[in-house]
Each structure stands twice: as C-alpha cells, then as structure tokens.
Amino acid sequence: MILYIEQDILENPRTQIFLDKYPRAERVIIRNYKNIFDKKIPYPIDDCMILAALHGNHITECPPWYDLYDHSFFFKTSIGCLFDCDYCYLKGAFENHTMKVFFLNYEEIQDSIRTTIQSVREKDPHGSIIFYASDYSDIQWFDILSGFNESFIPFFEQFEGVICESRTKSANISTLRSFKDAPNNFEVAFSLNPEAIIAQFEHKSASLSLRIEAINTLLDTGWKVWLRFLPLLPVPGYESMYRDFLEHVATSVDFSRVHSFSVGSLLYTKADYRVMQKKVPGFSLLYQIEQDTEDGFLRFPLPVRTYFYKLFREFLPKEKTSICLDV
Ligand code: SF4
C-alpha cells in the first residue's frame, strides 16, 4: 500500500493516525494532491490513499430543488469511496473514481462553514440551514481513521438552527456510539434499498439487515436518523420487491422515531450519462432511462416514478417525508 502525503499536512495529528494504522505502507511525499488524484499512476489505485489539505472550494451551495431547507450546502472532507455502487455519480465525475483522498485540515474547513453560516444569518436570522458532509464520498465507513465525527459533531453543536447530515451505506457506527450524548445538530442518513438490489448494485456496502441494526441502535440512544430510499431502481419485478421491502422496513424500524425520510431515483446529466455508459456498460438499468428531456436531466420513465411515488406515500409519514421523483 502507498500513502501519498502532502508536505503541508505531514505534521497534522490526523496524519499520524493513518501512519499508525498502516505502519508498513510506503510513504510518498507530494506537493499537491492534484498531482496524483484522478491521474494515471503506475500503481493499483485501490491500494493507495492520499492525505491532503483542501484550500478553498470547501463549500458548494445545493441546487434549489435539492431539499426543503431554506439554505443548503455541501462541504468536502474527502473524495472517493470504499463502496462501489454501479450507478455512482463518482464514475461520471472522475476518471479514477475509486481513488481516495482525505482532506485533514478540518479547522480551515470549519472556518469556511462558520463564515458561510454568519453570512446566511446576516440576511436570514431564523432560516433553516443544512450542511451535507462530503458529497463525494461515504465518510462514516472510515471515520475510525479520519476522525470526522469527533471533530465536526461538536463543531456543529455551536450553531442554532443548523444541521449537519452525514449519509452512509455503512453499518459501522462505532465512533458515533462513543459519544456520551446524542447531538442536537447532527443527523445520520442511511440509504436503503431492497437486499437484492444492495447485493447486485451496491458492492461492498453493508447489508440491509446490518443497516437496520445500526439504525435501531442509534434511535435507541437518541440520535437523529434520516432514512433515504435512494436511488429507487426499477429492476424486473420491482413493484412487489419494493412493496415487500417497505413492509419489512416499516416493521423493523419505528417510523415515529425517525427524524426524516426522503425518496428519490437516479438523475444524470447527459454528460454524466455518456460517461456511465462507457464505464459500466453492463449496468442494464441505464438503458431504461429516458433520453429526451426538456430540462437536460435524464431519469427513469414517468410511469416508473409515479409507481414509486404512490407506494412511498402509502408507507411513509407525509409530514416528515420529502419525495423527489419529478412526477
Ligand atoms: S456509497 Fe455513495 S459515494 Fe460510495 S460508491 Fe455508493 S453511491 Fe458512490
């Protein structure tokens, strides 16, 4: 294994955690992660990590249709994912989508978040604000190394009316469980799909049963949990598969304790779709996606989305559910 380490991040205490975890890894000092990341390198990219600092571009505003919050932002502390979902948008965004880079200069990233909150509050003192953690990765699976939770959860507790959401397909909640009290401003969002879909398309991610176990453990200890039914996929027999799945989840998890729900399916830009066709030509569901759309986004046909919309409306509490299926 190779650890590529930016010169400027060598003394960061979080770097030491990686070095301790991988004492035999070859260490290569680099000037800037961009010299390595998403480049062709003569080494298996699944077997290397990049430790870096991100200067600027920490935060991106979400598109207006993204959620129901007054102000929504993504922020980055890493790029790349341990899991390998066939439909993953990282494939469209990068050449080497499995390469992993960790930005460890958390204090600088937090300064940017603080400045953003202050500027929103000057214009809208009481509006709801949400920050989505790392839109380019699933950060919970490696939190034992990155220390994101330990640093960012207390950080967000300082701000009234601000939520941080961390989305995951992992069931590894060990670092969350180490908190004495559940935080007010942090929400763990679990992406859920039927077990057969997880096995077929969400490679290396946790099984549905393990995710449900993690959800119930967090709910029992007072954590805010968000269930994300996303992306819904119209595989053969999807109508009965998703009905059985929802019945199972509804009997396994107490929906009255779940903080919020969201529902969505696949949505690609034309450019991303073309890349996906090249990279995962065997992902047969791609060929069910509609090509002629007025807004430039490609999605599954309307009857499929309408079916999903009605089904999830039937099962999920309306007041806590956001459904984004463009029906
Ligand atoms: S868990 Fe998310 S980021 Fe990771 S491969 Fe799957 S879709 Fe991509």
Side-chain angles (χ1 to χ4, degrees):
M1 178 186 189
I2 294 187
L3 280 176
Y4 293 98
I5 310 169
E6 272 187 7
Q7 177 77 42
D8 292 351
I9 210 79
L10 266 174
E11 301 304 318
N12 187 302
R14 295 179 194 105
T15 300
Q16 193 57 47
I17 297 172
F18 284 82
L19 297 180
D20 291 346
K21 171 77 181 171
Y22 302 105
R24 292 198 193 155
E26 185 181 342
R27 299 171 191 182
V28 178
I29 309 304
I30 56 173
R31 286 188 71 78
N32 190 304
Y33 79 94
K34 289 178 185 166
N35 296 336
I36 304 289
F37 179 68
D38 209 24
K39 301 281 187 299
K40 285 193 169 59
I41 55 171
Y43 195 77
I45 55 172
D46 280 343
D47 205 18
C48 70
M49 293 181 182
I50 304 171
L51 310 183
L54 184 65
H55 302 300
N57 296 325
H58 303 131
I59 296 170
T60 320
E61 197 161 358
C62 303
W65 46 263
Y66 194 73
D67 60 27
L68 301 175
Y69 285 80
D70 298 323
H71 309 276
S72 315
F73 304 92
F74 301 113
F75 70 100
K76 247 186 231 54
T77 56
S78 60
I79 306 177
C81 188
L82 173 76
F83 308 138
D84 188 15
C85 304
D86 283 351
Y87 51 77
C88 180
Y89 56 95
L90 289 176
K91 292 186 176 76
F94 304 111
E95 279 297 316
N96 294 326
H97 67 278
T98 56
M99 198 174 249
K100 297 164 204 64
V101 52
F102 299 85
F103 300 118
L104 301 179
N105 57 328
Y106 289 170
E107 291 71 18
E108 191 181 331
I109 297 168
Q110 288 169 359
D111 282 346
S112 294
I113 294 171
R114 187 181 290 104
T115 306
T116 303
I117 293 171
Q118 282 164 354
S119 116
V120 170
R121 284 285 171 251
E122 279 166 18
K123 295 179 214 136
D124 183 6
H126 306 295
S128 57
I129 303 176
I130 187 163
F131 284 85
Y132 295 99
S134 273
D135 47 331
Y136 283 107
S137 62
D138 186 318
I139 56 176
Q140 288 303 321
W141 68 265
F142 57 75
D143 191 63
I144 196 94
L145 282 174
S146 69
F148 173 93
N149 291 337
E150 183 187 31
S151 180
F152 279 86
I153 290 177
F155 169 77
F156 275 102
E157 288 298 278
Q158 308 167 57
F159 305 104
E160 207 172 305
V162 177
I163 285 277
C164 173
E165 181 252 34
S166 175
R167 189 184 316 176
T168 192
K169 291 188 176 87
S170 156
N172 184 355
I173 54 169
S174 58
T175 59
L176 297 172
R177 294 192 67 191
S178 67
F179 280 77
K180 190 161 157 281
D181 298 308
N184 288 316
N185 294 354
F186 194 81
E187 188 154 313
V188 190
F190 288 88
S191 301
L192 298 182
N193 244 323
E195 198 77 85
I197 285 187
I198 292 174
Q200 191 176 354
F201 300 112
E202 300 180 354
H203 312 290
K204 304 186 204 168
S205 69
S207 66
L208 177 63
S209 56
L210 284 176
R211 293 185 211 181
I212 287 176
E213 197 179 312
I215 289 164
N216 284 329
T217 303
L218 290 178
L219 287 175
D220 287 345
T221 43
W223 285 74
K224 289 192 170 99
V225 170
W226 186 336
L227 298 191
R228 284 180 165 269
F229 297 93
L230 179 85
L232 307 180
L233 298 176
V235 296
Y238 72 92
E239 295 94 335
S240 58
M241 179 189 286
Y242 272 95
R243 178 168 286 282
D244 293 348
F245 159 68
L246 274 174
E247 280 169 359
H248 172 61
V249 177
T251 51
S252 309
V253 177
D254 179 356
F255 281 179
S256 70
R257 294 196 297 165
V258 173
H259 195 245
S260 47
F261 302 82
S262 53
V263 179
S265 190
L266 286 182
L267 189 71
Y268 292 118
T269 62
K270 284 185 179 167
D272 281 349
Y273 183 79
R274 278 195 292 272
V275 177
M276 295 296 292
Q277 274 187 312
K278 276 191 201 139
K279 287 199 171 174
V280 274
F283 180 34
S284 55
L285 290 172
L286 277 180
Y287 306 103
Q288 290 189 33
I289 285 179
E290 278 185 330
Q291 298 297 312
D292 300 320
T293 57
E294 284 177 9
D295 61 1
F297 285 104
L298 309 186
R299 35 176 96 72
F300 289 118
L302 186 58
V304 170
R305 288 180 277 127
T306 304
Y307 178 82
F308 279 135
Y309 183 89
K310 287 186 182 155
L311 182 69
F312 280 81
R313 272 278 171 255
E314 192 184 316
F315 278 88
L316 302 182
K318 197 167 184 185
E319 63 290 355
K320 294 198 270 186
T321 301
S322 139
I323 299 187
C324 183
L325 287 166
D326 305 296
V327 290

